[in-house]
Amino acid sequence: MTRNLNFARSFGQICLTGFAAVYAFPLYLIVSLALKTEAEGARAPFALPSSLFSGNFARAWQTSATSGNASLAPAFGNSILITAVGVVLLVVTGALGGYVLARRKSRLADWLFVLFLIGLTVPQQLGIVPLFQLARGLGLVGSAGGMILIYAGLLAPLTIFLYTTFIRALPTDYEEAALMDGASRLRVFWDVVMPLVRPVTATVVVIQGIHIWNDFFTPVIFLLGSGQQTLPVAIFSLVGEYATAWGPIFAGVVIASAPAMAVFVFLQRHVVRGFSGGIK
Amino acid sequence: MTAVAPSPAGIRRALQVPWWFVALPLGLYGLVVIYPSLAGALYAFTDWSGIGAFRWIGLANFRAVMIDDEAVSSLGNTVVLALSTTLIQNMLGLSLALALNRRTRLNSVLRPLFLAPALLAPVVVGVIWQYIYSPEGALNAILSAVHLDALRRPWLGLADTAIWSVALTVVWQFVGITMVIYIAGLQAIAPELHEAAAIDGSGALRRFRDITLPLLAPAITVNVLLPFIGGLKLFDQILVMTAGGPGYATQTVALMIYRQAFTFGAFAYSTALAVVLTVLVAVAAMIQLAALRSREMPA
């Protein structure tokens, strides 16, 4: 009986490992093709690279003479800038807003909370044309600053939701003690509340950071052709330029994905908690 | 002379969190989401062309949607993609969660492996699978290697296979999220329940049906809602892999809205399509939330 069970279990493990290998094969394929010359990639697409060829990375990274569009170097900088500043703005505005909505016991606070929740389901497509016209009128199309402001509004609902629900469950004792000592509300927010909400801040940074880093729909509308594009748009342009020269394209894919993968490796706990947060 | 001590209630009121703390997120949210969405919903009932005056034309744009072959097939594709990816992702995600639920060394390696594609940009995943499905790509090469040349085909170039190829790509990317949500749900189930049922003589299948599934209800709701709403909005992968083709075989509503607005300048028509998409998403969300609430009520 026990031996049968052990056998069944090992058989299950073998099947699972086999499935995992098939599942991970595309990931292996892009990294290995990025490291092969075009000739080697065509001749032996599945084999391990015979040597570590860096030419594809150089081609994807540098500005090509024919089109300034399909180079990843400036896009990498733009993605870093927009993601970093966007996330900081989301954390500060989301925590401040969530703090009011959690602590004020009034109908207005409940109503505002629901107003933010509605934004969780409204598709971005509904307002995209009026938003584009508004941004163009304000001179914000084609600029990193415009993208940062758009993300701060677009991703406010989830951020506000996370901070508000978390702060509601926090006791008010520390805040009251600090207020009795004469601290201003802003000081209490910064010195008392912000350290207490660190778990939410970690979730917001990871989840919204990955969202902004990977987003395509917003930058393809607001940045395409501006020379200020982010990595997903640059990859899209790269495919247009190199067609089926997969070496440079996959080198670009590796470059664009490396930061998110690094976050995953070093902050795995926060990533898993962020993704499974829907049910706690 | 003694100072009048303010009442505790008065102090509390004076020390309330000031409303201006919410001004910045509310202002940005209003400008980026609320105002444009309301304006978009209104333009759907006009002949607005982006500049100048516009007239109210009632439901004319929606009538045009209903008789537009492209719009009808886009709506059909969108619903098919949302339903099929949700279904496959849940079956596969639940199987993986059950297989990887126990804490073993192998499982601690496999779990992040299945989650990794979820961190890639959907555009990037589209590019990867565009290569795999291409005529000289990995899938056809593998079929040749195992002497199944008869099955070789341009997977994204044929109307019959393109939409399922796209669906599989979406499942490959996001099944890890479904898996971790199910694992979190499984781990919230007290092992004593299974032990007690086992002592009472319940078999594994019966315990799964009577204990695991009912207690997974909140996880199931989330795992149906998220991929279904995501499926209704599919855009990035489609644009990269097929651009909606062949013909309109993989065109989605989100892609058609983008084209109508930013390629053809048919602003009013595109907002009518966006209203249809919004209604689909809202109905799906309301059904799911109602289901969640009714199941969470104590019986």
Side-chain angles (χ1 to χ4, degrees), chain A residues 16 23 33 93 96 100 104 115 119 121 125 127 130 133 150 185-186 210 214 216-217 246 249-250 257 261 264 279, chain B residues 15 17 19 21 24-25 29 32 36 48 50 100 112 114 116 119-121 123 127 131 172 181 222 235-236 254 281:
Chain A
L16 188 62
Y23 184 83
L33 283 172
T93 59
L96 269 173
V100 190
R104 284 265 178 178
L115 186 68
T121 47
Q125 282 81 4
Q133 294 214 315
I150 288 172
R185 264 295 170 182
L186 205 55
I210 289 171
N214 287 338
F216 177 66
F217 185 70
W246 297 105
I249 291 172
F250 288 153
S257 311
M261 285 296 133
F264 187 37
I279 56 156
Chain B
L15 294 177
V17 184
W19 281 113
F21 277 19
L24 196 53
Y29 173 58
V32 173
W48 183 56
L100 298 175
F114 284 111
L119 281 96
L120 301 174
V123 160
V127 172
Y131 158 71
W172 181 80
I181 291 174
V222 173
F235 173 81
D236 308 13
V281 170

Side-chain angles (χ1 to χ4, degrees), chain A residues 173-213:
Chain A
D173 309 8
Y174 296 111
E175 292 163 46
E176 278 161 14
L179 286 169
M180 292 306 159
D181 288 347
S184 70
R185 264 295 170 182
L186 205 55
R187 181 130 299 278
V188 171
F189 167 76
W190 195 250
D191 289 346
V192 179
V193 177
M194 277 315 268
L196 289 173
V197 298
R198 230 175 254 156
V200 185
T201 303
T203 303
V204 168
V205 168
V206 168
I207 294 299
Q208 308 290 44
I210 289 171
H211 182 114
I212 297 176
W213 185 264

Side-chain angles (χ1 to χ4, degrees), chain B residues 37-251:
Chain B
S37 300
L38 290 175
L42 283 179
Y43 286 139
F45 300 91
T46 70
D47 63 355
W48 183 56
S49 63
I51 38 163
F54 54 82
R55 288 181 309 128
W56 293 98
I57 55 169
L59 295 172
N61 287 323
F62 295 95
R63 261 181 240 121
V65 167
M66 275 156 54
I67 55 165
D68 179 350
D69 284 345
E70 187 187 350
V72 171
S73 73
S74 299
L75 278 164
N77 293 335
T78 303
V79 172
V80 165
L81 280 169
L83 281 175
S84 61
T85 53
T86 303
L87 189 69
I88 304 169
Q89 210 168 297
N90 273 276
M91 293 193 308
L92 191 56
L94 182 56
S95 308
L96 286 172
L98 291 166
L100 298 175
N101 187 28
R102 291 185 330 123
R103 281 188 194 282
T104 65
R105 202 174 302 161
L106 177 67
N107 291 356
S108 67
V109 174
L110 293 186
R111 276 193 213 169
L113 185 136
F114 284 111
L115 191 55
L119 281 96
L120 301 174
V123 160
V124 155
V125 171
V127 172
I128 295 169
W129 285 85
Q130 187 196 7
Y131 158 71
I132 292 174
Y133 289 130
S134 66
E136 300 305 317
L139 183 53
N140 285 331
I142 291 169
L143 288 172
S144 289
V146 295
H147 304 292
L148 287 170
D149 293 76
L151 291 177
R152 285 179 62 109
R153 63 199 65 202
W155 298 92
L156 296 173
L158 301 173
D160 301 343
T161 50
I163 194 164
W164 304 115
S165 304
V166 172
L168 196 69
T169 304
V170 174
V171 171
W172 181 80
Q173 171 159 30
F174 294 116
V175 72
I177 295 183
T178 308
M179 176 193 74
V180 294
I181 291 174
Y182 275 129
I183 290 178
L186 287 173
Q187 288 179 347
I189 299 175
E192 293 80 21
L193 286 173
H194 278 279
E195 283 156 21
I199 290 167
D200 289 347
S202 299
L205 261 180
R206 216 196 135 97
R207 290 203 307 271
F208 178 75
R209 201 195 62 199
D210 292 346
I211 299 173
T212 310
L213 269 187
L215 290 174
L216 273 184
I220 294 172
T221 306
V222 173
N223 271 336
V224 171
L225 185 66
L226 289 182
F228 191 77
I229 289 182
L232 290 176
K233 299 179 190 171
L234 278 181
F235 173 81
D236 308 13
Q237 302 92 324
I238 310 280
L239 182 60
V240 173
M241 292 174 78
T242 64
Y248 300 130
T250 56
Q251 170 110 299

